């Protein structure tokens, strides 16, 4: 038995390639998601892993598990450390969850490398993209590790996501990594030049397409405009009754400032008013008076509940919602958030394991919304149609593309990132808005309680942006793209092909293994 208390053994462990190479890859990937102008690291991040996987024939299950856990632990620690600011148990849960996911991922990739070496890179690509896509489904869904998000600051490079979405960006990142790896291991042979030429062709087409679309996309400049109010209420006082009146006063002050720009719509963030606005007269009167005084339609996020008495007993059902208050006094049907944050907003599998409803980890336990709701605002004789995304929902391209397919003129994303304080979390969350705008070619107004609020046009250009914890108002006109993108129209579900291919390759490895044993 090894003496793990021996410092020499610990040092040897960290020198082990099975630890430091996947850890280095994870570190580079994690840093590529920071606002440090290190996004380019994603193009090199897989190299340590690719060199390690070259030894797949000698990588037994125990070694695969070690590689996967080294990668998963460092990646989660670097990229998602900000979740520990909100919930330490939830952060620990992510280590377990992604540890399991990456063990499964690396196990399948390792099998393909070992049994089907000629298809090893196809296996790596299809398995990784399957992992990214499948993260969109189920009650534990958390699609935060998509490689393409590292490119959000490279406006020309993300233009191609109008064709294949975030998954095409991830695919191209993997291809660049693989071509660089081939150049390194083939140098200096006649194949090296071939790989270099291939790399240059891929980059030329990618950059060329991006620059062309960025500078030649025909947008319609509309005279409709909207204002976003950011008053930056810290989370620790947001629901404190002692600050209730001051919070309402602050929102009134900045909403009136927003009205000075004479916008056609004013947007407040998720759960802006710390009360059940539609359920109680005091906050409802406050909002109605605010709309009356500005004379401008007001859109905001709010908690809401309904009473269900169908079972014979009164049962309260709580929702994370948005709605639109019209200047003529009408209130639009609310939109209830469809995709809830696992654990943070609802304990997973409660409907299947009823005792979980009694588990209290500080979560809200909202109910799932079921229907997409479209809102309309009118300017003179023209109507504008828009849809709402609440917080975490901006991370789901299948949802935003579904909204875009319904011919909305713009989208509104309301969120409260105050939970994450001054960490990289609000930046990562905000950059998803940029990718969604390009995928759908739809302008997105993002209203965040403490920032980062932004207005992103259909090219992915951030036209207005706030700083964290800034108290301010931003305003901009609306830019429209008159067509649906290829991604929205045809390609929303194409990543299912990667799931099919990776599953097929894995089945072939099993059949090959059975065949070898029989012979």
């Amino acid at each position: 038995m090894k003496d793990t208390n021996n410092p020499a053994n610990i040092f040897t462990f960290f020198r082990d390639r099975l630890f430091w190479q996947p850890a280095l890859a994870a570190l580079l990937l994690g840093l590529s998601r920071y606002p440090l102008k290190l996004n380019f690291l994603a193009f090199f991040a897989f190299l340590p892993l690719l060199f390690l996987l070259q030894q797949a024939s000698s990588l037994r299950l125990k070694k695969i598990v070690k590689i996967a856990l080294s990668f998963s632990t460092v990646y989660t620690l670097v990229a998602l450390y900000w979740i520990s600011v909100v919930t330490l148990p939830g952060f620990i849960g992510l280590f377990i969850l992604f540890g399991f996911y990456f063990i499964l991922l690396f196990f399948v990739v390792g099998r393909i490398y070992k049994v089907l070496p000629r298809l090893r890179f196809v296996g790596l690509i299809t398995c990784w993209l399957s992992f990214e896509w499948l993260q969109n489904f189920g009650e534990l869904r958390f699609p935060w590790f998509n490689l393409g998000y590292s490119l959000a600051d490279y406006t020309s490079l993300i233009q191609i996501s109008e064709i294949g979405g975030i998954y095409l960006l991830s695919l191209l990142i993997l291809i660049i990594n693989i071509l660089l790896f081939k150049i390194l291991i083939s140098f200096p042979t006649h194949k090296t030049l071939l790989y270099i030429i291939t790399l240059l062709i891929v980059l030329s087409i990618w950059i060329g397409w991006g620059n062309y679309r960025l500078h030649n996309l025909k947008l319609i400049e509309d005279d409709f405009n909207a204002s976003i109010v950011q008053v930056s209420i810290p989370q620790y006082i947001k629901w404190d009754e002692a600050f209730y009146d001051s919070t309402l006063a602050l929102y009134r002050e900045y909403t009136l400032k927003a009205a000075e720009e004479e916008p056609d719509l004013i947007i407040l963030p998720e759960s802006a008013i710390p009360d059940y606005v539609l359920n109680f007269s005091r906050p409802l009167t406050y909002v109605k008076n605010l709309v009356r005084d500005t004379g401008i339609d007001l859109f905001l996020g709010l908690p809401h509940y309904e009473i269900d008495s169908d079972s014979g007993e009164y049962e309260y059902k709580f929702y994370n919602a948005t709605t639109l208050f019209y200047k003529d006094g009408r209130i639009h049907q609310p939109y209830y958030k469809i995709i809830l944050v696992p654990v943070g907003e609802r304990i997973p599998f409660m409907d299947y394991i009823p005792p979980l409803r009694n588990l209290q980890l500080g979560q809200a336990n909202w109910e799932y919304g079921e229907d997409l709701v479209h809102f309309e605002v009118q300017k003179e004789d023209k109507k504008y149609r828009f849809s709402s995304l609440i917080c975490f929902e901006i991370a789901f391209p299948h949802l935003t593309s579904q909204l875009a397919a319904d011919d909305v003129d713009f989208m509104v994303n309301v969120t409260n990132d105050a939970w994450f304080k001054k960490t990289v979390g609000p930046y990562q969350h905000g950059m998803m808005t940029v990718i969604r705008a390009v995928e759908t070619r739809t302008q997105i107004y993002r209203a965040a309680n403490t920032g980062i609020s932004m207005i992103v046009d259909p090219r992915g250009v951030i036209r207005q942006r706030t700083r964290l914890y800034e108290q301010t108002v931003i305003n901009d006109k609306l830019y429209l793209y008159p067509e649906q993108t290829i991604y929205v129209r045809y390609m929303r579900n194409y990543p299912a092909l990667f799931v099919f291919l990776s599953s097929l390759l894995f089945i072939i490895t099993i059949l090959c293994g059975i065949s070898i044993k029989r012979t």
Side-chain angles (χ1 to χ4, degrees), residues 233 235-248 274-276 280 282:
I233 305 292
Q235 192 60 32
Y236 70 92
I237 68 170
K238 184 172 179 65
W239 294 94
D240 189 331
E241 290 186 9
F243 295 91
Y244 185 89
D245 290 335
S246 62
T247 295
L248 297 188
D275 208 338
Y276 292 92
F280 297 115
R282 181 186 178 189

Side-chain angles (χ1 to χ4, degrees), residues 120-341:
R120 61 190 183 279
F121 297 125
V122 174
L124 174 63
I125 289 172
T126 57
C127 287
W128 187 277
L129 294 178
S130 296
F131 161 74
E132 289 194 354
W133 189 63
L134 291 173
Q135 281 291 292
N136 287 275
F137 307 103
E139 295 203 22
L140 294 175
R141 50 195 164 189
F142 195 78
W144 215 268
F145 279 160
N146 299 54
L147 301 175
Y149 288 127
S150 61
L151 304 182
D153 285 333
Y154 299 151
T155 310
S156 62
L157 291 184
I158 64 174
Q159 298 304 309
I160 204 166
S161 61
E162 67 176 342
I163 297 175
I166 185 71
Y167 309 104
L168 181 54
L169 296 178
S170 296
L171 172 62
L172 288 167
I173 289 172
L174 287 168
I175 289 173
I176 298 300
N177 274 273
I178 290 169
L179 287 172
L180 288 173
F181 173 71
K182 283 182 169 289
I183 290 169
L184 292 173
I185 64 172
S186 68
F187 186 85
T189 67
H190 65 283
K191 289 186 177 181
T192 306
L193 181 59
L194 176 62
Y195 294 137
I196 292 174
I197 292 173
T198 304
L199 176 63
L200 292 176
I201 290 173
V202 171
L203 288 173
S204 296
I205 294 173
W206 187 3
I207 296 171
W209 172 272
N211 279 312
Y212 175 78
R213 292 296 284 169
L214 179 61
H215 299 294
N216 294 278
L217 194 69
K218 297 186 184 302
L219 299 180
I220 299 171
E221 183 178 331
D222 198 278
D223 60 358
F224 176 91
N225 69 84
S227 292
I228 295 172
V229 172
Q230 178 179 306
V231 298
S232 298
I233 305 292
Q235 192 60 32
Y236 70 92
I237 68 170
K238 184 172 179 65
W239 294 94
D240 189 331
E241 290 186 9
F243 295 91
Y244 185 89
D245 290 335
S246 62
T247 295
L248 297 188
L250 197 58
Y251 268 112
R252 179 175 178 81
E253 176 188 352
Y254 277 87
T255 301
L256 292 176
K257 282 186 179 181
E260 293 173 3
E261 299 289 333
E262 298 184 353
D264 303 295
L265 179 67
I266 296 176
I267 304 167
L268 306 188
E270 178 185 14
S271 298
I273 310 303
D275 208 338
Y276 292 92
V277 175
L278 300 179
N279 300 104
F280 297 115
S281 60
R282 181 186 178 189
L284 181 59
T285 300
Y286 165 83
V287 174
K288 284 185 173 181
N289 288 340
L290 192 57
V291 175
R292 182 201 62 201
D293 293 345
T294 60
I296 299 169
D297 295 340
L298 180 68
F299 186 81
L300 76 161
L302 69 169
H304 183 63
Y305 69 82
E306 294 181 351
I307 301 175
D308 181 10
S309 59
D310 291 342
S311 62
E313 296 182 4
Y314 287 105
E315 180 182 359
Y316 289 87
K317 292 188 174 182
F318 295 88
Y319 296 92
N320 194 348
T322 57
T323 197
L324 177 62
F325 286 79
Y326 290 99
K327 55 191 173 186
D328 62 7
R330 291 179 296 127
I331 303 175
H332 198 284
Q333 169 196 354
Y335 164 71
Y336 298 148
K337 189 176 182 182
I338 293 173
I339 303 176
L340 301 174
V341 180

Side-chain angles (χ1 to χ4, degrees), residues 31-64:
L31 291 177
S32 73
R33 299 289 300 279
Y34 280 58
L36 300 173
K37 300 189 183 301
L38 296 175
N39 314 74
F40 63 89
L41 291 177
F43 294 119
F44 308 95
F46 278 85
L47 292 180
L49 270 179
L50 291 171
F51 278 107
L52 189 58
L53 289 172
Q54 280 292 93
Q55 307 171 13
S57 60
S58 63
L59 294 178
R60 306 295 181 188
L61 179 59
K62 185 177 179 180
K63 293 182 178 180
I64 288 290

